[in-house]
Amino acid sequence: KMKTIKVLGPGCAKCKTLYNNTMEAVKQSGIEAEVIKVEDIQEMMKYNVLTTPVLVIDEVIKIKGRASDVKEIKQILEA
């Protein structure tokens, strides 16, 4: 089943890092996933998070407020 992954963030450096690391983690783990960058504040507010960046996988918040490395994201994806 294809995963839907969202990276929430207004485009800050950490947000870009989390997005790039997520793309790399998806590539390395070989899973099928659609990665969506969410920069719209209204859309982000639906998740009720105050600190970005946020990693959301299949509508479940997995990481918030920090840019995780590729290894950690891969572990989450493969769990």
Coordinates of all heavy atoms in Angstrom, one line a residue:
K1 N 0.8 -1.2 0.0 CA 0.0 0.0 0.0 C 0.9 1.2 0.0 O 1.9 1.3 0.7 CB -0.9 0.0 1.3 CG -1.7 1.2 1.5 CD -2.5 1.1 2.8 CE -3.3 2.3 3.1 NZ -2.6 3.5 3.2
M2 N 0.5 2.2 -0.8 CA 1.3 3.4 -0.9 C 1.1 4.3 0.3 O 0.0 4.5 0.7 CB 0.9 4.1 -2.2 CG 1.8 5.3 -2.5 SD 2.0 5.6 -4.2 CE 1.3 7.3 -4.3
K3 N 2.2 4.8 0.8 CA 2.1 5.7 1.9 C 1.9 7.1 1.4 O 2.5 7.5 0.4 CB 3.3 5.6 2.8 CG 3.5 4.3 3.6 CD 4.8 4.4 4.4 CE 5.1 3.1 5.1 NZ 4.1 2.7 6.1
T4 N 1.2 7.9 2.2 CA 1.2 9.4 1.9 C 2.0 10.1 3.0 O 1.7 9.9 4.2 CB -0.3 9.9 2.0 OG1 -1.0 9.1 1.0 CG2 -0.4 11.4 1.6
I5 N 3.0 10.8 2.6 CA 3.9 11.4 3.5 C 3.8 12.9 3.3 O 3.8 13.4 2.2 CB 5.3 11.0 3.3 CG1 5.4 9.5 3.5 CG2 6.3 11.7 4.3 CD1 6.8 8.9 3.1
K6 N 3.6 13.7 4.4 CA 3.5 15.1 4.3 C 4.6 15.7 5.1 O 4.9 15.3 6.3 CB 2.2 15.7 4.7 CG 1.0 15.2 3.8 CD -0.3 15.8 4.3 CE -1.4 15.3 3.5 NZ -2.7 15.6 4.0
V7 N 5.3 16.7 4.6 CA 6.3 17.5 5.4 C 5.7 18.9 5.5 O 5.5 19.6 4.5 CB 7.6 17.6 4.6 CG1 8.6 18.4 5.4 CG2 8.2 16.2 4.4
L8 N 5.3 19.2 6.8 CA 4.7 20.5 7.0 C 5.8 21.5 7.4 O 6.6 21.2 8.3 CB 3.7 20.4 8.2 CG 2.7 19.3 8.2 CD1 1.7 19.5 9.3 CD2 1.9 19.2 6.9
G9 N 5.8 22.7 6.8 CA 6.7 23.7 7.2 C 6.7 24.8 6.2 O 6.4 24.6 5.0
P10 N 6.9 26.1 6.7 CA 6.8 27.2 5.8 C 8.0 27.4 4.9 O 8.0 28.4 4.2 CB 6.7 28.4 6.8 CG 7.4 27.9 8.0 CD 7.2 26.4 8.0
G11 N 8.9 26.5 4.8 CA 10.0 26.7 3.9 C 11.3 27.1 4.6 O 12.2 27.6 3.9
C12 N 11.4 26.9 5.9 CA 12.6 27.3 6.6 C 13.7 26.2 6.3 O 13.4 25.2 5.7 CB 12.3 27.3 8.1 SG 11.7 25.7 8.8
A13 N 14.9 26.5 6.7 CA 16.0 25.6 6.5 C 15.8 24.2 7.0 O 16.0 23.2 6.3 CB 17.3 26.2 7.1
K14 N 15.3 24.1 8.2 CA 15.0 22.8 8.8 C 13.9 22.1 8.0 O 13.9 20.8 7.9 CB 14.5 23.0 10.3 CG 15.5 23.1 11.3 CD 14.8 23.0 12.7 CE 15.7 23.6 13.8 NZ 14.8 23.8 15.0
C15 N 12.9 22.8 7.5 CA 11.8 22.2 6.8 C 12.4 21.6 5.5 O 12.0 20.5 5.1 CB 10.8 23.3 6.5 SG 10.1 24.1 7.9
K16 N 13.3 22.4 4.8 CA 13.9 21.9 3.6 C 14.7 20.6 3.8 O 14.7 19.7 3.1 CB 14.8 23.0 2.9 CG 14.0 24.1 2.4 CD 14.9 25.1 1.6 CE 14.1 26.2 1.0 NZ 13.9 27.3 1.9
T17 N 15.4 20.7 4.9 CA 16.3 19.5 5.3 C 15.4 18.3 5.6 O 15.7 17.2 5.1 CB 17.1 19.8 6.6 OG1 17.9 20.9 6.3 CG2 18.0 18.6 7.0
L18 N 14.3 18.5 6.3 CA 13.4 17.3 6.6 C 12.8 16.8 5.3 O 12.8 15.6 5.1 CB 12.3 17.7 7.6 CG 11.4 16.6 7.9 CD1 12.1 15.4 8.6 CD2 10.2 17.1 8.8
Y19 N 12.4 17.7 4.4 CA 11.9 17.3 3.1 C 12.9 16.5 2.3 O 12.6 15.4 1.8 CB 11.4 18.5 2.3 CG 10.8 18.1 1.0 CD1 9.5 17.6 0.8 CD2 11.6 18.3 -0.2 CE1 9.0 17.2 -0.4 CE2 11.1 17.9 -1.4 CZ 9.8 17.4 -1.5 OH 9.3 17.0 -2.7
N20 N 14.1 17.0 2.2 CA 15.2 16.3 1.4 C 15.5 15.0 2.0 O 15.7 14.0 1.3 CB 16.4 17.2 1.3 CG 16.1 18.4 0.4 OD1 15.2 18.4 -0.4 ND2 16.9 19.5 0.7
N21 N 15.6 14.9 3.4 CA 15.9 13.7 4.1 C 14.8 12.6 3.9 O 15.1 11.5 3.8 CB 16.2 13.9 5.6 CG 17.5 14.6 5.8 OD1 18.3 14.9 4.9 ND2 17.8 15.0 7.0
T22 N 13.6 13.1 3.9 CA 12.4 12.2 3.7 C 12.5 11.6 2.3 O 12.3 10.4 2.1 CB 11.1 13.0 3.9 OG1 11.1 13.5 5.2 CG2 9.9 12.1 3.7
M23 N 12.8 12.5 1.3 CA 12.9 12.0 -0.1 C 14.0 10.9 -0.2 O 13.8 9.9 -0.8 CB 13.2 13.1 -1.1 CG 12.1 14.2 -1.2 SD 10.5 13.5 -1.8 CE 10.9 13.4 -3.5
E24 N 15.1 11.2 0.4 CA 16.2 10.2 0.4 C 15.8 8.9 1.1 O 16.1 7.8 0.6 CB 17.5 10.9 1.0 CG 18.7 10.0 0.9 CD 19.1 9.6 -0.5 OE1 18.9 10.4 -1.4 OE2 19.7 8.5 -0.6
A25 N 15.2 9.0 2.2 CA 14.8 7.8 3.0 C 13.8 7.0 2.2 O 13.9 5.8 2.2 CB 14.1 8.3 4.4
V26 N 12.9 7.6 1.5 CA 11.9 6.9 0.7 C 12.6 6.1 -0.4 O 12.4 5.0 -0.7 CB 10.8 7.9 0.1 CG1 10.0 7.2 -1.0 CG2 9.9 8.4 1.2
K27 N 13.6 6.8 -1.0 CA 14.4 6.2 -2.1 C 15.2 5.0 -1.6 O 15.1 4.0 -2.2 CB 15.3 7.3 -2.7 CG 15.9 6.9 -4.1 CD 16.6 8.1 -4.7 CE 18.1 8.0 -4.3 NZ 18.9 9.1 -4.8
Q28 N 15.8 5.2 -0.5 CA 16.7 4.1 0.1 C 15.9 2.9 0.5 O 16.3 1.8 0.4 CB 17.5 4.7 1.3 CG 18.7 5.5 0.8 CD 19.5 6.0 2.0 OE1 19.5 5.3 3.1 NE2 20.3 7.0 1.8
S29 N 14.7 3.2 1.1 CA 13.9 2.1 1.6 C 13.1 1.4 0.5 O 12.6 0.3 0.7 CB 13.0 2.5 2.8 OG 12.1 3.5 2.3
G30 N 13.0 2.0 -0.6 CA 12.3 1.4 -1.7 C 10.8 1.2 -1.6 O 10.2 0.5 -2.3
I31 N 10.2 2.0 -0.6 CA 8.8 1.9 -0.5 C 8.1 2.8 -1.5 O 8.7 3.7 -2.0 CB 8.3 2.3 1.0 CG1 8.7 3.8 1.3 CG2 8.9 1.4 2.0 CD1 7.8 4.4 2.4
E32 N 6.8 2.5 -1.7 CA 6.0 3.4 -2.5 C 5.4 4.5 -1.7 O 4.7 4.2 -0.7 CB 4.9 2.6 -3.2 CG 5.3 1.9 -4.4 CD 4.0 1.3 -5.1 OE1 3.3 2.1 -5.7 OE2 3.8 0.1 -5.1
A33 N 5.7 5.7 -2.0 CA 5.1 6.8 -1.2 C 5.0 8.1 -2.0 O 5.8 8.3 -3.0 CB 6.1 7.1 0.0
E34 N 4.0 8.8 -1.7 CA 3.8 10.1 -2.3 C 4.2 11.1 -1.2 O 3.7 11.1 -0.1 CB 2.3 10.4 -2.6 CG 2.1 11.7 -3.2 CD 0.6 12.0 -3.5 OE1 -0.3 11.3 -2.9 OE2 0.3 12.9 -4.2
V35 N 5.2 12.0 -1.5 CA 5.7 12.9 -0.6 C 5.2 14.3 -1.0 O 5.4 14.8 -2.1 CB 7.2 13.0 -0.5 CG1 7.7 13.9 0.6 CG2 7.8 11.6 -0.2
I36 N 4.5 14.9 0.0 CA 3.8 16.2 -0.3 C 4.4 17.3 0.6 O 4.5 17.1 1.9 CB 2.3 16.1 0.0 CG1 1.7 15.0 -0.9 CG2 1.6 17.5 -0.3 CD1 0.3 14.5 -0.4
K37 N 4.8 18.4 0.1 CA 5.3 19.5 0.9 C 4.1 20.4 1.2 O 3.5 20.9 0.3 CB 6.4 20.2 0.0 CG 7.4 21.0 0.8 CD 8.4 21.6 -0.2 CE 9.7 21.9 0.5 NZ 10.7 22.3 -0.4
V38 N 3.9 20.6 2.4 CA 2.7 21.5 2.8 C 3.3 22.8 3.4 O 3.9 22.8 4.5 CB 1.8 20.8 3.9 CG1 0.7 21.7 4.3 CG2 1.3 19.5 3.3
E39 N 3.1 23.9 2.7 CA 3.6 25.2 3.1 C 2.5 26.1 3.5 O 2.8 27.2 4.0 CB 4.6 25.8 2.1 CG 5.8 24.9 1.8 CD 6.8 25.5 0.9 OE1 6.4 26.4 0.0 OE2 8.0 25.2 0.9
D40 N 1.3 25.7 3.3 CA 0.1 26.6 3.6 C -0.2 26.5 5.1 O -0.4 25.5 5.6 CB -1.1 26.1 2.7 CG -2.3 26.9 3.0 OD1 -2.3 28.1 2.7 OD2 -3.3 26.4 3.5
I41 N -0.2 27.7 5.7 CA -0.5 27.8 7.1 C -1.8 27.2 7.5 O -1.9 26.5 8.5 CB -0.4 29.3 7.6 CG1 1.0 29.9 7.3 CG2 -0.7 29.4 9.1 CD1 2.2 29.3 8.1
Q42 N -2.8 27.5 6.7 CA -4.2 27.0 7.1 C -4.2 25.5 7.1 O -4.8 24.8 8.0 CB -5.2 27.5 6.0 CG -5.4 29.0 6.0 CD -5.9 29.5 7.4 OE1 -6.7 28.9 8.0 NE2 -5.4 30.7 7.8
E43 N -3.5 24.9 6.1 CA -3.4 23.4 6.0 C -2.7 22.8 7.2 O -3.0 21.9 7.8 CB -2.7 23.0 4.7 CG -2.7 21.6 4.4 CD -4.1 20.9 4.1 OE1 -5.0 21.6 3.7 OE2 -4.2 19.7 4.4
M44 N -1.6 23.5 7.6 CA -0.7 23.1 8.7 C -1.5 23.1 10.0 O -1.4 22.3 10.9 CB 0.5 24.0 8.9 CG 1.6 23.7 7.9 SD 3.0 24.7 8.3 CE 3.2 25.6 6.8
M45 N -2.4 24.2 10.1 CA -3.1 24.3 11.4 C -4.1 23.2 11.7 O -4.4 22.9 12.8 CB -3.9 25.7 11.4 CG -2.9 26.9 11.5 SD -3.7 28.4 11.4 CE -4.4 28.6 13.1
K46 N -4.5 22.5 10.6 CA -5.4 21.4 10.8 C -4.7 20.3 11.6 O -5.4 19.4 12.2 CB -5.8 20.8 9.4 CG -6.7 21.7 8.6 CD -6.9 21.0 7.2 CE -7.6 22.0 6.3 NZ -7.7 21.5 4.9
Y47 N -3.4 20.3 11.6 CA -2.7 19.2 12.4 C -2.4 19.7 13.8 O -1.9 18.9 14.6 CB -1.4 18.8 11.7 CG -1.7 18.1 10.4 CD1 -1.8 18.8 9.2 CD2 -1.9 16.8 10.4 CE1 -2.1 18.2 8.0 CE2 -2.2 16.1 9.2 CZ -2.3 16.8 8.0 OH -2.6 16.2 6.8
N48 N -2.8 20.9 14.2 CA -2.7 21.4 15.5 C -1.2 21.3 16.1 O -1.0 21.0 17.2 CB -3.6 20.6 16.4 CG -4.0 21.4 17.6 OD1 -3.9 22.6 17.6 ND2 -4.5 20.7 18.6
V49 N -0.3 21.7 15.2 CA 1.1 21.7 15.6 C 1.6 23.1 15.6 O 1.3 23.9 14.7 CB 2.0 20.8 14.8 CG1 1.8 19.3 15.1 CG2 1.8 21.1 13.3
L50 N 2.5 23.4 16.6 CA 3.0 24.8 16.7 C 4.4 24.9 16.2 O 4.8 26.0 15.8 CB 2.9 25.3 18.1 CG 1.5 25.3 18.7 CD1 1.5 25.6 20.2 CD2 0.6 26.3 18.0
T51 N 5.2 23.8 16.3 CA 6.5 23.9 15.9 C 6.7 23.1 14.6 O 6.3 22.0 14.5 CB 7.5 23.3 17.0 OG1 7.0 22.1 17.4 CG2 7.6 24.3 18.1
T52 N 7.4 23.7 13.6 CA 7.7 23.0 12.4 C 9.2 22.7 12.3 O 10.0 23.3 13.1 CB 7.3 23.9 11.2 OG1 8.0 25.1 11.3 CG2 5.8 24.1 11.1
P53 N 9.7 21.8 11.5 CA 8.9 21.0 10.6 C 8.2 19.8 11.2 O 8.6 19.5 12.3 CB 10.0 20.5 9.6 CG 11.3 20.5 10.4 CD 11.1 21.6 11.4
V54 N 7.3 19.3 10.5 CA 6.5 18.2 11.0 C 6.5 17.1 9.9 O 6.3 17.4 8.7 CB 5.1 18.6 11.3 CG1 4.2 17.4 11.8 CG2 5.1 19.7 12.4
L55 N 6.7 15.8 10.3 CA 6.6 14.7 9.4 C 5.3 14.0 9.7 O 5.1 13.5 10.8 CB 7.8 13.8 9.5 CG 7.8 12.6 8.5 CD1 8.0 13.1 7.1 CD2 8.9 11.6 8.9
V56 N 4.4 13.9 8.7 CA 3.1 13.2 8.9 C 3.1 12.0 7.9 O 3.3 12.2 6.7 CB 2.0 14.1 8.6 CG1 0.6 13.4 8.8 CG2 2.0 15.4 9.4
I57 N 2.9 10.8 8.4 CA 2.8 9.6 7.5 C 1.4 9.0 7.7 O 1.0 8.7 8.8 CB 3.9 8.6 7.9 CG1 5.3 9.2 7.7 CG2 3.7 7.3 7.0 CD1 6.4 8.3 8.1
D58 N 0.7 8.9 6.6 CA -0.7 8.4 6.6 C -1.5 9.1 7.7 O -2.2 8.5 8.4 CB -0.7 6.9 6.7 CG -0.1 6.2 5.5 OD1 -0.2 6.8 4.4 OD2 0.4 5.1 5.6
E59 N -1.4 10.4 7.7 CA -2.2 11.3 8.6 C -1.8 11.1 10.1 O -2.6 11.5 11.0 CB -3.7 11.1 8.4 CG -4.1 11.6 7.0 CD -3.8 13.0 6.7 OE1 -4.0 13.9 7.5 OE2 -3.2 13.3 5.6
V60 N -0.7 10.5 10.4 CA -0.2 10.3 11.8 C 1.1 11.2 11.9 O 2.0 11.0 11.2 CB 0.0 8.9 12.2 CG1 0.6 8.8 13.6 CG2 -1.2 8.0 12.0
I61 N 1.1 12.0 12.9 CA 2.3 12.9 13.2 C 3.4 12.0 13.8 O 3.2 11.3 14.8 CB 2.0 14.0 14.1 CG1 1.0 15.0 13.4 CG2 3.3 14.8 14.5 CD1 0.5 16.1 14.3
K62 N 4.5 11.9 13.1 CA 5.6 11.1 13.5 C 6.8 11.9 14.2 O 7.5 11.4 15.1 CB 6.2 10.3 12.4 CG 5.2 9.3 11.8 CD 4.9 8.2 12.8 CE 4.0 7.1 12.2 NZ 3.7 6.0 13.1
I63 N 7.0 13.1 13.6 CA 8.1 13.9 14.1 C 7.7 15.3 14.0 O 7.0 15.7 13.1 CB 9.4 13.8 13.1 CG1 9.9 12.3 13.2 CG2 10.5 14.8 13.5 CD1 10.9 12.0 12.1
K64 N 8.0 16.1 15.1 CA 7.7 17.5 15.0 C 8.7 18.4 15.6 O 9.4 18.0 16.6 CB 6.3 17.8 15.6 CG 6.1 17.5 17.0 CD 4.6 17.8 17.4 CE 4.3 17.2 18.8 NZ 2.9 17.5 19.1
G65 N 9.0 19.5 15.0 CA 9.9 20.5 15.6 C 11.4 20.2 15.3 O 12.2 20.9 15.9
R66 N 11.7 19.3 14.5 CA 13.1 19.0 14.2 C 13.2 18.4 12.8 O 12.3 17.7 12.4 CB 13.8 18.2 15.3 CG 13.2 16.8 15.5 CD 13.6 16.2 16.7 NE 12.9 14.9 16.9 CZ 13.3 13.8 16.4 NH1 14.4 13.7 15.6 NH2 12.6 12.7 16.5
A67 N 14.4 18.5 12.3 CA 14.7 17.8 11.0 C 15.5 16.6 11.3 O 16.6 16.6 11.8 CB 15.6 18.8 10.1
S68 N 14.8 15.4 11.1 CA 15.4 14.1 11.4 C 16.4 13.7 10.3 O 16.2 14.2 9.2 CB 14.4 13.1 11.5 OG 13.4 13.4 12.5
D69 N 17.3 12.8 10.7 CA 18.2 12.4 9.6 C 17.6 11.2 8.8 O 16.5 10.7 9.2 CB 19.6 12.0 10.2 CG 19.5 10.9 11.2 OD1 18.5 10.1 11.2 OD2 20.4 10.8 12.1
V70 N 18.2 10.9 7.7 CA 17.7 9.9 6.8 C 17.5 8.6 7.5 O 16.5 7.9 7.4 CB 18.6 9.7 5.6 CG1 18.2 8.5 4.7 CG2 18.7 11.0 4.8
K71 N 18.4 8.2 8.4 CA 18.4 6.9 9.1 C 17.1 6.8 9.9 O 16.4 5.8 9.9 CB 19.6 6.8 9.9 CG 19.8 5.4 10.6 CD 21.1 5.3 11.3 CE 21.1 4.1 12.3 NZ 21.8 4.3 13.5
E72 N 16.8 7.9 10.7 CA 15.7 7.8 11.6 C 14.4 7.8 10.8 O 13.5 7.0 11.1 CB 15.6 9.1 12.5 CG 14.5 9.0 13.5 CD 14.3 10.3 14.3 OE1 15.1 11.3 14.1 OE2 13.4 10.3 15.2
I73 N 14.3 8.5 9.7 CA 13.1 8.5 8.9 C 12.9 7.1 8.2 O 11.8 6.6 8.2 CB 13.2 9.6 7.8 CG1 13.2 11.0 8.4 CG2 11.9 9.6 6.9 CD1 13.6 12.1 7.5
K74 N 14.0 6.5 7.8 CA 13.9 5.2 7.2 C 13.3 4.2 8.3 O 12.5 3.3 7.9 CB 15.3 4.7 6.8 CG 15.5 4.9 5.3 CD 16.9 4.4 4.9 CE 17.0 2.9 4.9 NZ 18.3 2.5 4.4
Q75 N 13.8 4.3 9.5 CA 13.3 3.4 10.6 C 11.8 3.6 10.8 O 11.1 2.6 10.9 CB 14.0 3.7 11.9 CG 15.5 3.1 11.9 CD 16.3 3.6 13.1 OE1 15.9 4.6 13.8 NE2 17.3 2.8 13.4
I76 N 11.3 4.8 10.7 CA 9.9 5.1 10.8 C 9.1 4.5 9.7 O 8.1 3.9 9.8 CB 9.6 6.6 11.0 CG1 10.2 7.1 12.3 CG2 8.1 6.9 10.9 CD1 10.3 8.6 12.4
L77 N 9.6 4.7 8.5 CA 9.0 4.2 7.3 C 8.9 2.7 7.2 O 7.9 2.1 6.8 CB 9.7 4.7 6.0 CG 9.7 6.1 5.7 CD1 10.6 6.4 4.5 CD2 8.3 6.6 5.4
E78 N 9.9 2.0 7.7 CA 10.0 0.6 7.7 C 9.3 -0.1 8.9 O 9.2 -1.3 8.9 CB 11.5 0.1 7.5 CG 12.0 0.6 6.1 CD 13.5 0.5 6.0 OE1 14.2 0.1 7.0 OE2 14.1 0.8 5.0
A79 N 8.9 0.7 9.8 CA 8.3 0.1 11.0 C 7.0 -0.5 10.7 O 6.3 -0.1 9.8 CB 8.2 1.2 12.1

